[in-house]
Amino acid sequence: RDRLALTGVTQPWEHQAQAAELARQGHSVVLATGTASGKSLGYLLPVLTALLEDDRATALYLSPTKALATDQLRAVRALSLTEVRAATYDGDTPHEERDWVRRFAGLVLTNPDMLHRSVLPRHGDFARLLRGLRFVVVDECHSYRGVFGSHVAHVLRRLRRVCARYGADPVFVLASATVSEPEASAARLVGRPVVPVTTD
């Protein structure tokens, strides 16, 4: 709270608090609110709290673009929470840094393609991350529709199966400003019931 207050956030909006509380209670949730409505705080609150409360906890952030992941990493680092070890893991990540991410990162920001091609096939190398996985954030979830959405849905189901092997059952937090039928779309994507949070 102190770190957020330094950035000018002294109290979350109702939809942010609602999403964060539902996620902390173990409910997967989709934040379907307008552009610039602060969706990122809705998922960062439970994610960062979990990482600060338990040094074995981990979280995964998925976005359709590297630029968005980089922006989120910048936002997390701006809070100066030195206990939160956050890093991007994408095609531009140097090999020496990839090893550090596998061994130490608590919050890994990546994309569905890297999850499919690098993390899941080599899940043994990511055992620490997968064993402690508390939250999976799927940002811009409206991007995953049609054939591409079907592929991502299968990747997320595979992620859930691999996590179960390591004893983890992560909560999914999805976000979009333009998703239609958020509850149904999000549930189809992650393969489990999802609670919608809107500003309507």
Side-chain angles (χ1 to χ4, degrees), residues 140-186:
E140 302 292 334
C141 64
H142 61 272
S143 302
Y144 308 119
R145 56 182 183 267
V147 173
F148 180 49
S150 174
H151 287 309
V152 172
H154 284 290
V155 170
L156 294 178
R157 282 160 178 76
R158 185 176 171 206
L159 171 64
R160 289 177 54 208
R161 287 195 306 272
V162 172
C163 284
R165 175 177 177 169
Y166 290 96
D169 184 23
V171 170
F172 285 80
V173 183
L174 301 93
S176 173
T178 60
V179 66
S180 61
E181 300 180 340
E183 183 177 5
S185 298

Side-chain angles (χ1 to χ4, degrees), residues 81-159:
L81 298 167
T82 55
E83 305 94 329
V84 175
R85 298 178 311 273
T88 54
Y89 188 85
D90 57 37
D92 293 335
T93 306
H95 287 284
E96 58 274 12
E97 287 183 31
R98 292 182 187 201
D99 184 55
W100 184 91
V101 171
R102 287 190 291 268
R103 294 173 60 199
F104 301 112
L107 172 58
V108 177
L109 301 98
T110 189
N111 55 68
D113 189 53
M114 286 297 286
L115 180 61
H116 170 64
R117 292 180 175 274
S118 184
V119 177
L120 294 176
R122 302 176 56 199
H123 58 80
D125 293 341
F126 290 89
R128 182 198 57 83
L129 172 72
L130 297 168
R131 188 175 294 115
L133 199 58
R134 295 276 306 279
F135 293 101
V136 177
V137 175
V138 183
D139 206 355
E140 302 292 334
C141 64
H142 61 272
S143 302
Y144 308 119
R145 56 182 183 267
V147 173
F148 180 49
S150 174
H151 287 309
V152 172
H154 284 290
V155 170
L156 294 178
R157 282 160 178 76
R158 185 176 171 206
L159 171 64

Side-chain angles (χ1 to χ4, degrees), residues 31-43:
L31 261 161
T33 60
T35 302
S37 60
K39 288 181 289 297
S40 60
L41 187 60
Y43 54 73

